[in-house]
Amino acid sequence: MPPQMKLSAITLDCSDPLALAAFYQQATGLEPHPKSNADFAGLNHEDGLFIGFQRVDDYRAPRWPDQTVPQQFHLDFDVDDLDEAEAWLLDLGASKPEYQPNEDRWRVLIDPAGHPFCLTAKGRSRSE
């Protein structure tokens, strides 16, 4: 049986995480994450979903609907076992980039279309 995956976070690239988090906090009423900072800010939803905003050097905003600069975001999934989930997803066609910023807490994988997504050890967020 495949590992259970629960969508736990959506993270948007941006040039100013605190400003973008403030906008969405005002728009949605979600609570700011207490460890938000200039590099990574977040909002918490009562159901556990986390919306993150990560600073990207030389950020270029998406051009909608023109795809000259496509949308930037990635999905995070909570998993019980990082190794098991990673192996299963690699078998499904995902790939694993060489750079892994914190492999014991989360894994970055690439979907078949080239979009990055993260596996997070259940109960631990990327912002911890």
Side-chain angles (χ1 to χ4, degrees), residues 80-108:
D80 290 322
D81 183 303
L82 286 171
D83 294 329
E84 177 186 16
E86 176 186 317
W88 179 67
L89 290 160
L90 292 173
D91 284 346
L92 290 180
S95 60
K96 182 178 178 183
E98 188 173 322
Y99 176 68
Q100 296 290 319
N102 198 342
E103 198 165 11
D104 63 325
R105 289 178 53 206
W106 71 82
R107 308 281 167 81
V108 179

Side-chain angles (χ1 to χ4, degrees), residues 48-60:
L49 181 63
F50 178 84
I51 302 173
F53 309 92
Q54 70 182 6
R55 186 180 63 76
V56 172
D57 292 333
D58 301 321
Y59 173 75
R60 295 182 343 159

Side-chain angles (χ1 to χ4, degrees), residues 9-13 40 54 72-76 116-118 126:
I10 298 170
T11 302
L12 289 80
D13 291 351
F40 192 90
Q54 70 182 6
Q72 297 97 17
F73 74 96
H74 67 263
L75 303 175
D76 287 21
F117 65 96
C118 294
R126 289 186 44 164

